[in-house]
Amino acid sequence: WDSGDIPWFLLVLPLFGVALAVVALRAWIRKRKFGISTLKLRNLPAYLGERLQATVQTGIPVVNDPSKEFLVRLICARRETVLDAAGDERVLEKKLWSTEQKILGEVSSLRPVFQVMVDFPVPDDLPPTELLPEDDRTLWKLEVTAKMKGVDYAAQFEVPVYQRPAGDKTFKTGHNV
């Protein structure tokens, strides 16, 4: 303290606070600008080895923009709780698999906003969704993003992907026998 040098942590902590405030502000602006996005799955749940088909209502107005390109990602991840060097619990997420598509949005029949039609093949050699425990499990996520003037559009949904039960007599198209 007598040397006149400022300890490094006194510089880092305010920068961390500013970064956290910027992230929170962008999330608030995103919600105000686009509202809450919704996901409607065509087949609930999705099954390993079949297709995940869904519609995302985005909240992006169609006004003066006849088409909008969206980047859609389907991700299988493993979430784990670990202890750091100080003995505190941290939740880490490791991506096991992912795929992405660029999709042009369509005008929704519900209101004048874009909707995104999602259709992904789901590999059969990955683990299914696990519900519990919350911080030590496998999960599947669908992320939808689009470049916009100002704050970009971003939505994330957790989707149920399971192993088809043995003896289930449903065709892969979803029609009962």
Side-chain angles (χ1 to χ4, degrees), residues 36-129:
I36 297 174
S37 298
T38 58
L39 172 72
K40 182 177 180 186
L41 293 170
R42 194 171 304 155
N43 45 345
L44 183 64
Y47 291 108
L48 294 171
E50 298 183 12
R51 301 192 78 74
L52 174 86
Q53 297 175 322
T55 304
V56 177
Q57 296 290 331
T58 66
I60 298 176
V62 178
V63 178
N64 300 327
D65 199 355
S67 68
K68 175 65 66 185
E69 185 176 76
F70 293 86
L71 179 63
V72 183
R73 287 186 192 95
L74 180 62
I75 300 166
C76 178
R78 179 74 192 161
R79 184 179 289 168
E80 296 179 337
T81 302
V82 296
L83 293 177
D84 63 14
D88 297 325
E89 286 187 354
R90 297 184 55 171
V91 178
L92 300 177
E93 210 169 90
K94 178 183 175 189
K95 189 185 302 183
L96 302 176
W97 174 88
S98 71
T99 186
E100 62 183 44
Q101 298 175 353
K102 289 185 178 179
I103 301 172
L104 284 179
E106 303 172 2
V107 178
S108 172
S109 60
L110 302 175
R111 54 195 179 106
V113 296
F114 284 105
Q115 69 181 15
V116 181
M117 307 302 284
V118 177
D119 187 359
F120 280 106
V122 179
D124 59 358
D125 59 345
L126 292 167
T129 298

Side-chain angles (χ1 to χ4, degrees), residues 144-177:
V144 182
T145 59
K147 296 287 184 192
M148 303 287 299
K149 184 177 179 182
V151 176
D152 291 339
Y153 172 79
Q156 181 176 317
F157 306 94
E158 193 169 324
V159 293
V161 176
Y162 294 110
Q163 185 72 44
R164 185 170 289 286
D168 188 349
K169 301 212 187 295
T170 306
F171 289 120
K172 289 188 177 199
T173 59
H175 300 289
N176 290 332
V177 176

